[in-house]
Amino acid sequence: MTDEAMTKSIRVAVDAGSGDHAPEAMVRGALAALMQDPRLSVCLVGDLKALAGTLARIPESASVKDRWFIQSAEAFVAEGGGAAWAVRDSGARSSVAVVAKLVQEGSADAGISVGNTGAALTAARLELGLMAGLRRAVAGLTFPFAPRSFVLDVGPNVEVNARHLLGFARLGVAYVRDLWGTVEPRVGLLSNGVEASKGTRQIREAYRLLEASGLHFIGAIEGGDLVAGRAEVVVTDGYVGNVVLKVVEALAGWYRDRLVEAWAERPEIAKWAGMERLLSETSRLSDATQYPSPPLLLGVNGIFLLGHGRSGADEMATLIERAAWVVRKNTLGRLREALTD
């Protein structure tokens, strides 16, 4: 990749109407990202009055005022709302759908939402369309405990069939080849046992399809294999993937807090070999901003990143920076090439 590509001017559209801390976290995160990258601009999509008021309260906004923009959205999809709200027949547009539309028409190079994942998937699929030959888009993420394992799906697709899982595997392999340069990524199917006879009917059928796929399929893997990093690409449905991810994050946070408490009660343990490294590692595992790769929606004709609904300003800044990185790396073009080979 050339230096010119990595300094390319990028515009990122951000759903500032969704998430637990909207619009404050989105605005502060956008400003932080803008101050870090002079070749970046951000379009904040949401309630114009709320966005303008938030920007006016933050002095830093004046220093980058030529690189942030706001655009109105007439509706918002709550975390518990139906995905069908992503595009409304009445003409009123949800913030996540407006973000996807900006990407589709070329007004933004990438879109981000930390709101309802089902709505984000629906909006991206309807506005951007699916890549040729694909049945579903899928959210993939590098697994916190195994930084060379890419897990998909981690949220949006809670109900899938075997062919969907095969499509997830093909997307994951194409992405991992580009991300890490792994020529033949190992593909594992997450199940409750390593035998082909284990798992639900969909899992057993997916096992047979993956065996015949020509991919480097190593068979079914269990939760412990996922943590051990036995496969570069781990395939599951969004229900299981999301539960696994959140349990891991919660456990890492729990251990981090216990370590901090122990350190405060007995300062002498700071001298123990590896104590500081262990604390740093558990903090990383519980912090989505430190994951090795962005939570990317794969399979749609555009760059769209997802994030936790609880994301604060730091998480939003990281998502924006990573969206720009994915665009500059030409990940979308490389995926299209890989899927047509």
Side-chain angles (χ1 to χ4, degrees):
M1 193 183 324
T2 65
D3 291 340
E4 181 181 357
M6 291 311 292
T7 57
K8 174 185 174 183
S9 294
I10 302 295
R11 178 175 290 193
V12 178
V14 176
D15 175 5
S18 304
D20 298 346
H21 305 295
E24 184 87 12
M26 292 72 196
V27 172
R28 291 189 179 276
L31 294 176
L34 290 173
M35 287 186 281
Q36 281 290 112
D37 186 348
R39 304 290 288 174
L40 179 69
S41 62
V42 175
C43 179
L44 294 158
V45 179
D47 181 270
L48 291 182
K49 185 176 180 181
L51 287 170
T54 304
L55 285 159
R57 287 190 287 101
I58 304 173
E60 293 86 348
S61 65
S63 64
V64 289
K65 64 181 180 181
D66 59 328
R67 292 191 287 121
W68 57 256
F69 309 88
I70 55 178
Q71 181 153 335
S72 176
E74 300 174 46
F76 309 95
V77 183
E79 185 58 35
W85 271 57
V87 179
R88 293 170 47 145
D89 293 336
S90 64
R93 307 283 288 168
S94 68
S95 53
V96 68
V98 172
V99 167
K101 182 65 175 176
L102 289 170
V103 177
Q104 184 274 327
E105 65 188 20
S107 299
D109 298 293
I112 294 173
S113 178
V114 300
N116 183 299
T117 54
L121 179 67
T122 301
R125 187 179 69 242
L126 292 177
E127 294 291 352
L128 301 172
L130 293 175
M131 291 181 180
L134 295 181
R135 296 167 178 259
R136 290 276 183 102
V138 58
L141 181 72
T142 302
F143 190 63
F145 271 101
R148 298 284 288 189
S149 289
F150 192 72
V151 182
L152 61 177
D153 192 8
V154 290
N157 295 288
V158 296
E159 294 183 3
V160 300
N161 61 38
R163 292 203 171 273
H164 293 148
L165 292 171
L166 175 61
F168 296 174
R170 293 193 186 282
L171 272 170
V173 166
Y175 183 65
V176 163
R177 282 174 176 164
D178 181 53
L179 181 66
W180 296 321
T182 308
V183 178
E184 289 296 332
R186 295 166 298 173
V187 178
L189 179 64
L190 193 60
S191 185
N192 63 329
V194 298
E195 300 88 352
S197 60
K198 289 291 184 71
T200 63
R201 179 179 58 81
Q202 289 89 343
I203 292 295
R204 295 193 301 272
E205 175 61 21
Y207 192 107
R208 291 191 288 272
L209 292 177
L210 286 164
E211 270 192 317
S213 67
L215 300 174
H216 185 188
F217 179 54
I218 63 171
I221 64 172
E222 298 177 296
D225 299 319
L226 172 57
V227 173
R230 278 197 62 219
E232 284 79 30
V233 176
V234 178
V235 179
T236 185
D237 63 70
Y239 180 86
V240 171
N242 192 265
V243 169
V244 168
L245 180 65
K246 289 181 177 176
V247 167
V248 165
E249 291 174 339
L251 281 173
W254 186 88
Y255 277 109
R256 176 203 59 209
D257 293 345
R258 300 295 80 74
L259 287 170
V260 170
E261 289 174 3
W263 199 322
E265 292 172 3
R266 297 180 60 191
E268 68 274 14
I269 70 172
K271 298 177 183 178
W272 294 359
M275 181 64 181
E276 189 171 345
R277 180 186 58 79
L278 183 59
L279 181 57
S280 174
E281 185 68 8
T282 54
S283 295
R284 180 188 67 79
L285 293 171
S286 63
D287 182 359
T289 66
Q290 298 187 48
Y291 289 178
S293 70
L296 187 62
L297 189 59
L298 299 173
V300 293
N301 285 306
I303 300 299
F304 206 101
L305 274 66
L306 308 176
H308 280 306
R310 65 175 183 270
S311 294
D314 289 345
E315 288 85 356
M316 291 307 304
T318 298
L319 279 171
I320 294 168
E321 291 163 3
R322 289 182 171 178
W325 178 81
V326 170
V327 174
R328 288 171 175 147
K329 197 172 182 290
N330 191 29
T331 293
L332 185 63
R334 293 173 185 271
L335 276 176
R336 285 172 175 155
E337 289 175 8
L339 291 170
T340 54
D341 286 346

